[in-house]
Amino acid sequence: TLDPYGMSWSEEGILFGGGNRGIQRVSPNGGQPETLIAAKDNEWMASPQMLPGGKEVLFTLATGQNANTAAGDRAQIVVQALKSGDRKVVLQSGADARYLPTGHIVYALGGVLFAASFDLRRLETRGSPVGVIEGIARSAIGTAYFAFSNTGTLVYRQGAVNGVGAGQAVLVMVDRKGDTQPLKVPAAAYGFPRVSRDGKRAAYQIDDGKDSSIWIYELSGAAAPRRLTLPGTGVNRYPIWSSDNLRVAFQSDREGDLGIWWQRADGSGVAERLTKPNKGITHVPDSWSPDGQHFSFTEEKDSRGVVWTYSLQDKKATLFAEMAGASFNWSVFSPDGHWLAYQLSAQPNGRLYVKPFPPTAVAYLAPEDADAHHPVWSPDGKELFYVAGPSLFGSMGFNTRPSVSFGSPVRAPKSGFNTNVPSAVRTYDILPDGNHFIGVVAAGQARPGPGGSPPLQVVLNWFEDVKQRAPAK
C-alpha cells in the first residue's frame, strides 16, 4: 500500500507524492503506479501538479535526514522538466503549491495561503507574494488542507493564524436569546469588531503581540478575510466604518505618534492622516456620525480620557465631554446623529452618559446598573445596549419626548464576549437588524464542526479575489 502525500488530476493521469519514492502517476482507471520523478537519497517529494503543456511538474521538495518531518515551512517549491530532468527552485520556503488558471501559484507557509504571479515561460514568480487565506489548517508534515475547482470555487479547512490557535479567540454571531454561531474565520487574537452601516462587512483588528493589523470580512462568508493594513505600516488598531461604508478609520503609529488615519475599505489607494496628536497624547477613533461629516474619538493622556469630535469639512477637532478627575471614552453616535453615548471609566464599575450633538452644557446620566460600560445604540435609537459585567449584556430604553428619559435596566443572557472591565476595548457590535451581534469569544467557547473538527469553508469566485489581491505582472 502506498501512502500518497498530496495529489492532483491532469490529462496525463493522477499525480501524487510518494515521499522518498518520488513523484508517482497512476491511471484514473487503476493499475500500477509509475515513477515520473525519482527521489535521490534524503529527498522527500509531495503535492505534485502537472503544469499546462504537460512538460513540467510543480511539487514540494524537502531534503536532509528525516526530510518527511521537515516538509512544512523548511521545504522548497520546485519545478522539474520531465524530459531533461532540469530542476528549478521557485520558492525557497513553502509547500503545496498549485498553479491557477489566473496566472498565479498559491502555496502554504505557516498558517497562510499565499499567491504570487507566475510566468509559465520562465517558470518563476513575479512580484511579491501576498496572503490570500489567513488561517489554513496544516497536517503534521505540512500538508495544507485546500482544493479548488477549475471554475474558481475554493474549499479549505480552518487552522491557526500565525501559529495562534487554542486559547486565542474567534468571532461569533449572537442573537438576543444568546444562541451563538461561529463566523467563518480562524482562531486569532481578535479585537474591536465593527459592522459596516449596511451590515454586509465587519472590520476588526488582529494583534498577536508581534503585529497589529486591520482586517475586513464579508459577513455572508462568501469571501475569505482580507487584510487592509499591509505589513510594514506599523501598529494599526481600532477600526471604525465611515457612514458610506467606503472607508475605515483606525489608529496607527506609522509616523511615530498614535493618530487617526483612514483608508478605502477595498484596499485601493493609500492611508491618509486625519488627526495628529501632541507628544504624549493618544487618539482612539470611536464612532462616525450618520451624515458622514463628523467622527468622535477619545484623547488619552496619563490614563485619562476625554471625548472629542472631528469635523471633516473644517478639519478641526472640538472638545465634547470632559470632567476634572474623570475619564470618559468609547463614545458612539445615535442613529439619528443627534446624541452621543459614552462611558465614565470608573473602577471597578462604569456609568453611561448621553449628551446632545452638537454639544450643550447638559449631559444625562443613565440609571445605575451594577456595572455599565461600552454602550451601543439599537438601530432605531430607542435602546442602549451595554456590557453589564463579565460576559453579561444589559439594555435600557431611551426616549426624548416629552423629555429625555431612560427605561429600567434589563439583563440579557450571557453573551460570552470577552469585554470584562470599562478600561478594555469593546469586543462586540450590533447588526442593522437589531437582533444580532458579533463579538469576540475565547476559542474554546465556539462550537466546532461535526466530530470536533473545524468546518470546511467554501469560497465562491475565489479566482477573482486572487486576481484583485495579486495582480498578474
Side-chain angles (χ1 to χ4, degrees), residues 26-44:
V26 68
S27 169
N29 298 318
Q32 190 69 23
E34 63 171 317
T35 298
L36 279 183
I37 300 175
K40 300 177 183 178
D41 291 342
N42 296 329
E43 283 189 342
W44 189 89

Side-chain angles (χ1 to χ4, degrees), residues 226-243:
R226 174 171 53 84
R227 180 169 176 158
L228 179 64
T229 55
L230 299 178
T233 57
V235 174
N236 302 285
R237 298 189 180 105
Y238 314 132
I240 62 171
W241 287 92
S242 62
S243 57

